[in-house]
Amino acid sequence: SIASQRHDEAVKAAREAYWSTYNREEKWDDESSSSSSTVKLDTHGINTNNIGSWSLPDFSNDLDTSKMIFVTHGSSAEFGSDSDAVKASTPLFSVNECNAVIENAESYFTDNSNGKWTTLPSGQYDVAGFWIKDVPKVHNWFNDMLKERLFPLLVEKFPNFVNTIDDLVVDNAYLFKYTPETGRRTGVHTDSGCLSFTIALNSPEEYTGGGTWFEHLVSEDGTTVHDSKLEMGQGHVTVRPGGVRHCGHAVTDGTRYIIGGFCMHCNKVEYVRMLIGYGSDLAAQGNYKQAAEALEAAISINPNFDGAYTHLSSVLEKLGNKAKAKKVLEYCFRSVNRINGEVAYSLGIMYLADKQYKEARTCFEACVEVDDLDYQAMIGLAQVCASESDSGNEIKWYERVVNTPGVAKYEAALAYCNLGVLNTGDYEKELKYYEKALDLVPNNFQSRFSLASAHASRQDWEMAAESFRLAVQLASEDEDTHSQTEALNALYRVAVNIVRAKQVATQAEQMKLLIGIVGEANYQLLASGSSGKA
């Protein structure tokens, strides 16, 4: 089958990249590092009560959802202190070797690219980082640590799934360097491997923010974990099934280094994951009919895993079958996982487009209930309020967006721009919001045009003219003819008011002044009738 073939190809590539002999060129561990047999782990699980029939994509019978996320003991202790919690902690990797990994990574890029790191995609953003196999010294250390500590740990914690370290290969492994510029919050997602791991390479004292959020996270006794977030000190590790939905929180200050990776069982085919991957690849190539067939096959094998539904819905939309695409998401939302943020958000957008505002609100509220930092769902709720002429709650949602840690610049700028529009008439507030929007995204036409309009409403013609000229330029660069015409006409009206206020005596002087205000190129467009003015 296609799934078996893709599995075999992935295992072969993984062995070539990460499974090597014990030729230790670098040995950085010291007495403070722990072998897997001496490491204590704290157990967490996923609360599946009242969310539907959700399960992992593959081997769900071998992986207990109530005890599936393991983090080395003492991972969240206050590092740098001399507390009992720190003394009792059992990181899998020592401070020395973690520091050496970071130093070798930094040295590699200093020697090869003047200190500029490569980037890797992480959800909707690019993050400074590299595939472990591409940096030799880090790669050598990684291969040894896999066999000596990490793989034995996985065998110990998932005995129903894997019997020996020889069964495991690393499908992919990467090192990320998160900063406030590149360490924005990732989207909620599942990993492309049956088992996953995350290694914290530096101390939380070196950065602010970060940590991994897990959907429906509970402690071993079933109590909800605060913020559903796990944080780790230097050298600590989290291991888990890859099918658990999670995301990385934003780093707001400093630098955070982590290693992450995905593992496969050499002899157990992940049919569902392989078919989802195959369907996604076909969709990327434009083969939507075949993609839909592969994704439907994945769902038929395991209809209780929610990961294939959004992919299938997207493919069906591209095939022009919007009604079926909507039904796919509705089934998943109502029967499989009622609080899957990705499904709920996608369905909410469909409801919003169809003017089903009550249903859209239900979907977006489900997103925020699960993840109170889901700013895209907050924007959806603001749009629902706008459609219902509820400006008070629309303002509240946009204010919540701009105050959410990790919000992307574009979305924050959009929220600030809309807050400016919603405060039309309060000149000081309008200016404040539009200027904040432009600080984040200087080349945004709507924010620039709105700022110009606010100046014009106060008859501050000179400031209005300056901003309208910039708006015309932005629309021209974006090849947005409609917006360019709108800004040109507004600039013309402002220029006329300036000319009138100057009380210039002759028509020739008036024309010279007007051309000077709008600019020669813009005047030619106006004169040609392209903007509707002649």
Side-chain angles (χ1 to χ4, degrees):
S1 69
I2 290 293
S4 296
Q5 180 183 339
R6 288 174 68 90
H7 170 85
D8 291 341
E9 291 171 353
V11 169
K12 180 182 177 183
R15 285 192 180 281
E16 292 173 353
Y18 293 109
W19 190 260
S20 66
T21 58
Y22 286 88
N23 56 339
R24 180 185 295 278
E25 294 181 11
E26 303 287 338
K27 186 167 183 174
W28 301 322
D29 59 317
D30 62 17
E31 293 179 358
S32 64
S33 64
S34 301
S35 70
S36 61
S37 61
T38 62
V39 167
K40 298 178 182 177
L41 290 107
D42 298 324
T43 303
H44 297 77
I46 301 299
N47 182 4
T48 58
N49 295 332
N50 302 318
I51 69 170
S53 59
W54 175 87
S55 75
L56 293 170
D58 299 281
F59 312 113
S60 57
N61 291 332
D62 298 334
L63 300 165
D64 183 359
T65 57
S66 65
K67 297 178 181 179
M68 62 163 55
I69 301 172
F70 303 96
V71 58
T72 44
H73 182 67
S75 62
S76 59
E78 294 295 327
F79 281 75
S81 71
D82 194 35
S83 67
D84 291 339
V86 172
K87 293 176 182 177
S89 68
T90 58
L92 191 62
F93 303 101
S94 72
V95 170
N96 284 356
E97 64 181 323
C98 289
N99 289 341
V101 171
I102 294 171
E103 289 167 9
N104 277 275
E106 291 287 1
S107 294
Y108 176 85
F109 288 103
T110 298
D111 294 342
N112 290 278
S113 56
N114 295 318
K116 183 177 181 181
W117 280 49
T118 54
T119 59
L120 296 176
S122 178
Q124 55 187 316
Y125 308 118
D126 288 336
V127 178
F130 59 89
W131 300 116
I132 297 292
K133 62 184 175 64
D134 293 337
V135 177
K137 286 188 176 182
V138 177
H139 187 208
N140 291 338
W141 167 83
F142 181 79
N143 280 333
D144 289 338
M145 293 308 108
L146 277 182
K147 292 178 287 185
E148 294 172 2
R149 279 178 275 177
L150 194 59
F151 278 1
L153 185 65
L154 292 173
V155 172
E156 176 188 344
K157 302 316 297 182
F158 300 100
N160 293 331
F161 175 67
V162 58
N163 296 319
T164 171
I165 64 171
D166 295 325
D167 292 335
L168 293 170
V169 290
V170 169
D171 190 16
N172 271 312
Y174 54 85
L175 192 156
F176 278 160
K177 178 182 179 180
Y178 289 106
T179 66
E181 293 74 28
T182 66
R184 291 172 290 180
R185 186 172 186 271
T186 66
V188 180
H189 62 281
T190 58
D191 291 333
S192 56
C194 200
L195 294 176
S196 298
F197 58 87
T198 304
I199 304 169
L201 290 177
N202 64 325
S203 169
E205 293 180 333
E206 297 178 17
Y207 55 86
T208 303
T212 305
W213 175 91
F214 290 93
E215 199 169 66
H216 324 310
L217 184 68
V218 293
S219 59
E220 188 171 10
D221 63 5
T223 58
T224 301
V225 174
H226 177 65
D227 291 339
S228 287
K229 186 171 73 168
L230 291 180
E231 298 179 275
M232 295 189 293
Q234 189 173 23
H236 283 271
V237 178
T238 299
V239 295
R240 62 190 183 272
V244 176
R245 285 170 51 79
H246 63 285
C247 74
H249 274 319
V251 170
T252 57
D253 187 54
T255 303
R256 181 189 185 211
Y257 297 87
I258 68 159
I259 287 177
F262 319 131
C263 301
M264 299 172 59
H265 193 299
C266 299
N267 304 312
K268 293 184 177 181
V269 179
E270 299 166 60
Y271 288 100
V272 174
R273 185 173 74 84
M274 290 297 164
L275 285 169
I276 292 174
Y278 180 55
S280 298
D281 289 347
L282 288 169
Q285 297 163 12
N287 297 328
Y288 300 123
K289 186 175 184 297
Q290 287 180 280
E293 291 171 354
L295 294 166
E296 286 170 344
I299 291 172
S300 70
I301 293 171
N302 185 358
N304 295 326
F305 176 61
D306 46 9
Y309 289 91
T310 48
H311 292 288
L312 177 58
S313 176
S314 176
V315 167
L316 290 170
E317 274 201 283
K318 289 182 171 65
L319 287 169
N321 196 340
K322 184 179 177 181
K324 186 175 179 180
K326 191 175 181 181
K327 287 181 179 179
V328 165
L329 292 181
E330 285 176 331
Y331 173 79
C332 185
F333 184 59
R334 293 168 183 169
S335 302
V336 180
N337 188 346
R338 288 186 285 276
I339 43 182
N340 176 312
E342 185 179 10
V343 170
Y345 179 78
S346 300
L347 183 57
I349 291 296
M350 286 186 173
Y351 282 139
L352 189 62
D354 292 341
K355 299 183 180 181
Q356 294 176 263
Y357 302 126
K358 180 180 177 181
E359 292 83 356
R361 181 188 298 278
T362 297
C363 289
F364 294 136
E365 285 177 345
C367 296
V368 177
E369 178 187 350
V370 175
D371 178 7
D372 62 3
L373 300 180
D374 189 343
Y375 56 83
Q376 291 177 318
M378 296 175 201
I379 291 172
L381 284 163
Q383 292 171 334
V384 168
C385 292
S387 300
E388 296 175 336
S389 301
D390 183 0
S391 59
N393 281 314
E394 185 182 0
I395 288 173
K396 289 179 181 178
W397 281 114
Y398 280 129
E399 286 177 340
R400 185 165 168 182
V401 169
V402 299
N403 288 307
T404 296
V407 61
K409 286 185 178 181
Y410 180 82
E411 280 79 4
L414 169 69
Y416 276 125
C417 184
N418 285 324
L419 283 169
V421 173
L422 287 162
N423 282 278
T424 298
D426 188 331
Y427 186 57
E428 297 303 321
K429 276 191 175 182
E430 276 189 273
L431 291 187
K432 177 184 73 173
Y433 287 130
Y434 293 140
E435 287 167 356
K436 283 187 175 182
L438 290 166
D439 284 343
L440 292 168
V441 184
N443 296 328
N444 182 267
F445 170 83
Q446 195 57 53
S447 298
R448 182 64 65 184
F449 185 87
S450 297
L451 176 63
S453 299
H455 286 310
S457 70
R458 287 287 296 261
Q459 299 185 6
D460 190 345
W461 304 123
E462 298 290 346
M463 293 294 290
E466 179 183 351
S467 284
F468 278 130
R469 281 195 298 270
L470 289 170
V472 171
Q473 180 182 340
L474 292 173
S476 175
E477 291 171 354
D478 292 339
E479 298 182 354
D480 184 344
T481 304
H482 175 78
S483 295
Q484 184 182 23
T485 299
E486 183 181 21
L488 273 170
N489 289 338
L491 176 59
Y492 173 81
R493 291 191 294 269
V494 166
V496 168
N497 279 290
I498 293 175
V499 170
R500 287 173 178 167
K502 296 285 187 182
Q503 297 183 338
V504 180
T506 68
Q507 186 174 2
E509 290 175 326
Q510 290 175 358
M511 185 60 66
K512 181 180 179 180
L513 178 59
L514 188 144
I515 293 173
I517 295 167
V518 301
E520 179 67 36
N522 290 335
Y523 176 74
Q524 293 301 325
L525 286 172
L526 288 163
S528 70
S530 299
S531 69
K533 296 291 181 184

